[in-house]
Amino acid sequence: MAEARQPIAALVSLGCPKNLVDSERMLAGLALAGFAVTDSPDGADVAVVNTCAFIDLARAETDEAIEELEALKRAGRLGRIVVAGCMAQRDGRAVLARHAGVDAVAGLADRDALADVCRAILSPTAPLDPSARWVSAPTAQEMAHGAAVQENRRAKRGPVPIVQVGPFPADAPDDRERLRLTPRHYAYLRITEGCDNRCAYCAIPAIRGPLRSKPPDAVLAEAQELVADGARELVLVGQDTTAFGRDRGDGWNLARLLARLRRESVAAWIRLMYTHPASFTDDVIQELARGLPIVPYVDLPLQHVNDAILASMGRRITRAGVERLLGRLREAVPGIAIRTTFIVGYPGETGEAFEELADFVEKVRFDHVGVFVYSPEAGTRAAGLPDQVPPEVRRRRWDRLMRLLERLAHEAARRMVGRRLTVRVDGPAHAAGYLAARHGGQAPEVDPVVLLARGAAKPGDELTVRIVAAKGYDTVAAATDGDPEA
Ligand code: SF4
C-alpha cells in the first residue's frame, strides 16, 4: 500500500518580533503534527499567514500577502489558506468577507491548535462544520455577518470556512519548543503578553488582551532552552516589558527578572526592548549599569514630547519626566544606545507641537529612531478625538522628521569612524559583498549594522573590529587584533 504523502505547510510571518515568536511556535506545532514545513507557499498544501493588524500600513501589507496566496491558490499552486494572528483576532470576520479564498481564520488563542485546523481543511473526509465555528460567543451582529459570509460561500464553493476566534487565554503563552526563524545566534524571548496601559491611540490591548507576565521560572527555562539551541543573544520583548510582574502580585518585577537572567541564563548578550518611560525604575537602570550580559542598550518608545499630546495619549509622563529619565540613563550607563519611536500627526498636534518634537530630536540625539504616521484605529479613544490632523499634513511631518533623522544618523555613523568595538556577525548584508554584524548598541532587524567584507567571518562569530568608514546609516569595519574600547 502506498504511503500517504506528508502534507506540506508553508508559513508566512508578518509583523513584529512578538508575532515572530508565535510564528516559530506555529512552525514547531505543524512540524510535530507531521507536516513538512517550508517558507514557500508555492506548491504547499496549506499556507498559514501569521498576520499583523497594528496600524493601517500593517493591515494593507497583510491584505496584500493574503491576495498573493489567493492568486497562487487560483492558479492551482496552493491548496488551502489559513489566516492566523493579530488580524484574525481583530478582524477575522472582515478577513473572510474581503478574501473569498481564505479557508480558515484562527485567532491568537488557537496558535497551538493550527495543525488541527490545517488537517480539518485539508482532509476531504473531515466533516467541516456545517456552519463556521465561532469559539467565542458571537455578537448578534457577528452572527448576521458570519451567516451572510457562509451563505455566500455555500452558494459559490461548497465547504464553509472554519473560524476560530476565542477569548484571550488567561495566561501568557508558553513559547518553549520553537522552530526558530532568526539566525541561530539570537532569539526573541517574550516575557509578557498583552498590555494594561491603554494608550489612547493603540489597538493592541484590544487585540492581544490584558497584561499577562510569564512565570519567572518559565522565562528562565525558555532562556536556557534558547541558549542550548545556540542563541548567544536574547532579545527581551513584550508589549511593555517594564510592566513585567505587575499582574502577578508576588514581588517579581523587571529588575528582579534581569538580575536572575544575568545570573542563570548563560546568554552572552541580553537586550531590553519595548519599555515604557513612565514605568522605568531606578532598579532597572541599575541592572543596565551592571553591564554584560545586559548590553548598554534600551528601546524606549516615547511617542511624543509635547506635554499636551503626551497627556492626550495617556502616556503618564511629561517632557520633563522624559528628560530626567534620559539623563539618569546616560549618567548611570555611559555610552548607552537609546532607541525610540515617535508618532507624528496625532490628533491635536499643532505645527508648534510638531516643531517642539523636531527640536527635541535634534537636541537629544538618539541612537536610533523610528517614526510612525498616526493611524486612527477603530475602537481607540484617539480615533474619536476632535482636531484630527489631515492625512497629507501627517505625511508631510513624517517626511520632514525622517529627513532630519537621516541627516543625524549619517552624522552619527561618521562619528563612529576609528572606534574599536566587539561585534557579532548576523549573516549576509543588504549591501552586496558585505556581511552584516552588530555591536551591543544595535538591535537585530531594526537598527543599522556594521558591514564587514564577506569571508571575514561566519554568522554568530564575535570579533573585534575597527570602524573604517560610514556608509549611510551603516558603518564599514575591518577585523583587528587587540581589545575593544572599554
Ligand atoms: S504601552 Fe501603550 S502603545 Fe504600547 S502596547 Fe501598551 S497600550 Fe499600546
Side-chain angles (χ1 to χ4, degrees), residues 115-138:
D116 295 341
V117 174
C118 290
R119 284 206 184 289
I121 54 170
L122 281 178
S123 164
T125 53
L128 281 176
D129 285 345
S131 60
R133 192 146 54 101
W134 304 97
V135 172
S136 57

Side-chain angles (χ1 to χ4, degrees), residues 255-329:
R256 269 184 78 184
L257 185 73
L258 288 172
R260 185 155 179 212
L261 285 170
R262 170 194 299 287
R263 279 195 313 272
E264 299 175 48
S265 75
V266 231
W269 283 358
I270 297 172
R271 185 181 303 281
L272 187 55
M273 305 294 286
Y274 304 108
T275 64
H276 191 299
S279 307
F280 220 109
T281 62
D282 283 338
D283 290 350
V284 172
I285 295 176
Q286 270 164 31
E287 278 305 323
L288 284 164
R290 288 174 63 197
L292 292 176
I294 299 173
V295 289
Y297 179 99
V298 70
D299 170 46
L300 182 70
L302 294 173
Q303 315 304 15
H304 217 283
V305 289
N306 174 269
D307 281 342
I309 300 286
L310 286 171
S312 173
M313 286 177 162
R315 295 290 291 170
R316 300 183 284 115
I317 196 163
T318 59
R319 173 176 176 152
V322 165
E323 286 173 339
R324 271 196 303 278
L325 174 59
L326 293 172
R328 274 155 57 211
L329 279 165

Side-chain angles (χ1 to χ4, degrees), residues 18 54 194-205 238-240 275-276 301 303 313-316 343:
K18 291 150 280 188
F54 169 48
C195 183
D196 284 347
N197 285 322
R198 304 292 182 269
C199 301
Y201 51 84
C202 182
I204 301 276
Q239 265 72 39
D240 170 7
T275 64
H276 191 299
Q303 315 304 15
M313 286 177 162
R315 295 290 291 170
R316 300 183 284 115
I343 297 171

Side-chain angles (χ1 to χ4, degrees), residues 124-379:
T125 53
L128 281 176
D129 285 345
S131 60
R133 192 146 54 101
W134 304 97
V135 172
S136 57
T139 62
Q141 202 187 6
E142 284 168 351
M143 282 290 273
H145 178 69
V149 169
Q150 289 158 40
E151 268 321 306
N152 206 0
R153 274 157 195 271
R154 251 186 227 109
K156 278 203 219 139
R157 306 185 313 136
V160 295
I162 296 178
V163 178
Q164 297 201 162
V165 181
F168 304 117
D171 298 318
D174 183 349
D175 298 325
R176 282 173 290 182
E177 295 192 352
R178 295 189 238 155
L179 253 184
R180 284 204 284 121
L181 292 165
T182 54
R184 266 269 74 62
H185 58 278
Y186 72 79
Y188 293 104
L189 175 56
R190 170 162 48 192
I191 62 173
T192 61
E193 171 67 319
C195 183
D196 284 347
N197 285 322
R198 304 292 182 269
C199 301
Y201 51 84
C202 182
I204 301 276
I207 302 173
R208 290 261 168 190
L211 171 70
R212 283 146 291 155
S213 304
K214 278 187 186 167
D217 285 349
V219 175
L220 194 81
E222 196 179 326
Q224 288 168 338
E225 180 185 287
L226 292 167
V227 171
D229 187 43
R232 308 272 297 134
E233 175 178 358
L234 298 176
V235 184
L236 305 195
V237 298
Q239 265 72 39
D240 170 7
T241 51
T242 38
F244 178 83
R246 204 179 286 156
D247 55 317
R248 297 183 52 81
D250 58 2
W252 276 90
N253 57 30
L254 179 61
R256 269 184 78 184
L257 185 73
L258 288 172
R260 185 155 179 212
L261 285 170
R262 170 194 299 287
R263 279 195 313 272
E264 299 175 48
S265 75
V266 231
W269 283 358
I270 297 172
R271 185 181 303 281
L272 187 55
M273 305 294 286
Y274 304 108
T275 64
H276 191 299
S279 307
F280 220 109
T281 62
D282 283 338
D283 290 350
V284 172
I285 295 176
Q286 270 164 31
E287 278 305 323
L288 284 164
R290 288 174 63 197
L292 292 176
I294 299 173
V295 289
Y297 179 99
V298 70
D299 170 46
L300 182 70
L302 294 173
Q303 315 304 15
H304 217 283
V305 289
N306 174 269
D307 281 342
I309 300 286
L310 286 171
S312 173
M313 286 177 162
R315 295 290 291 170
R316 300 183 284 115
I317 196 163
T318 59
R319 173 176 176 152
V322 165
E323 286 173 339
R324 271 196 303 278
L325 174 59
L326 293 172
R328 274 155 57 211
L329 279 165
R330 284 179 166 164
E331 189 186 319
V333 193
I336 188 170
I338 301 177
R339 173 179 182 79
T340 192
T341 48
F342 293 112
I343 297 171
V344 292
Y346 182 83
E349 186 192 59
T350 58
E352 293 78 54
F354 172 73
E355 290 306 327
E356 181 182 348
L357 175 60
D359 289 348
F360 181 84
V361 161
E362 176 128 36
K363 179 177 143 215
V364 170
R365 305 265 164 158
F366 294 94
D367 297 85
H368 315 292
V369 184
V371 184
F372 294 99
V373 177
Y374 169 72
S375 156
E377 294 301 306

